[in-house]
Amino acid sequence: SEVPTPCPGGKKTEQARQSDPQNCIECDAGTFCAAGQGEEVCTAGHYCPVESTSPTPCSAGTFNPTQGSEDDTACRPCSPGKYCSGGNAAVDGDCSAGYFCKSAADMDTPSDDSDGKYGICPEESYCEEGTDHPTPCPKGTFGGSYGLESEDACTQCLPGKYCEETGLQQIDLESRDCSAGFYCTGSAESSQPAADSGQGRPCRAGYKCPAGS
C-alpha cells in the first residue's frame, strides 16, 4: 500500500489515509492546521484566517475571549483602565498609578497616544491605579508635575495666590494674585478669602495688603 503523505501546513484532508497532496484542501477560517496535523479550533486571544498554519495573536492593545475567530475584527480594544499586551483571552490588569487608559492601552505604563486614548497623567490632574480618565486636582490646589498618582500629590495653592478652579497648572497661578485688601496664606479657593476660611482673610486694620499678599 502507498505510504500516507501528510498535508502541508494550512491544509487538511478528509481521507483517513491520503497519499496524494492533491487531496489536501484549505483549512477553514476559524481553525488552523499545522503540517501533518488535523484541524484545530482557533484559540482565544487569537484569530485564524483561511489556510492558517497556526493562530495569529491579537495585537497589543486588544484581547479576544472567543475561540474560533476568523479575523482580527474579533479582537476587542482593551477595556477602560486596563492594559492588554496582546494574544490573550482577557485583559492583563490595571494600568499603573500616574497613567490613564481610556481604551486600547498596550502596557501598564503606556507612552502618550496621539489620539489621547492613553498616556502619562497630565500636569493638572492625578491618576490612581486603573484610571480611565484623569481626575482634575481639586480647588485650592494645582498640579505641579506630570504623572501624579493621587489627590494628595496635588500641590497646595501658593501663598498670595488663589486656585478657584479644578485642574489648574502652576503656570495658571501667574494671573491669580489675591485681591488687594486681602491676603492668602495657602490653599486659597478665592481671591478674597473670608476670615474664617483658614485660607487667609481681609487685611487687618493698620496693615497694608497689596494684590498678591
Side-chain angles (χ1 to χ4, degrees), residues 43-185:
T43 51
H46 300 72
Y47 61 95
C48 299
V50 171
E51 209 169 344
S52 290
T53 59
S54 62
T56 301
C58 288
S59 60
T62 69
F63 71 104
N64 179 15
T66 307
Q67 293 183 325
S69 298
E70 299 180 0
D71 55 46
D72 62 0
T73 60
C75 302
R76 307 177 186 180
C78 204
S79 306
K82 308 294 183 180
Y83 75 97
C84 299
S85 59
N88 292 320
V91 301
D92 290 53
D94 287 336
C95 282
S96 294
Y99 295 81
F100 70 95
C101 301
K102 296 179 182 178
S103 174
D106 56 0
M107 59 188 302
D108 61 335
T109 56
S111 301
D112 288 345
D113 172 61
S114 59
D115 295 327
K117 292 185 294 187
Y118 47 77
I120 191 167
C121 204
E123 185 177 356
E124 69 276 7
S125 306
Y126 64 93
C127 298
E128 298 177 336
E129 185 180 46
T131 289
D132 55 352
H133 286 77
T135 303
C137 285
K139 293 179 180 181
T141 71
F142 64 93
S145 63
Y146 292 91
L148 300 182
E149 299 182 358
S150 66
E151 182 178 321
D152 290 343
C154 297
T155 304
Q156 289 188 348
C157 204
L158 302 177
K161 302 290 184 177
Y162 68 101
C163 300
E164 86 292 6
E165 298 178 11
T166 62
L168 294 178
Q169 301 177 19
Q170 186 166 3
I171 193 171
D172 296 321
L173 272 59
E174 293 179 2
S175 60
R176 283 177 164 78
D177 286 342
C178 281
S179 297
F182 294 81
Y183 65 92
C184 299
T185 57

Side-chain angles (χ1 to χ4, degrees), residues 3 16 19 31 42 82 109:
V3 177
S19 58
T31 67
C42 200
K82 308 294 183 180
T109 56

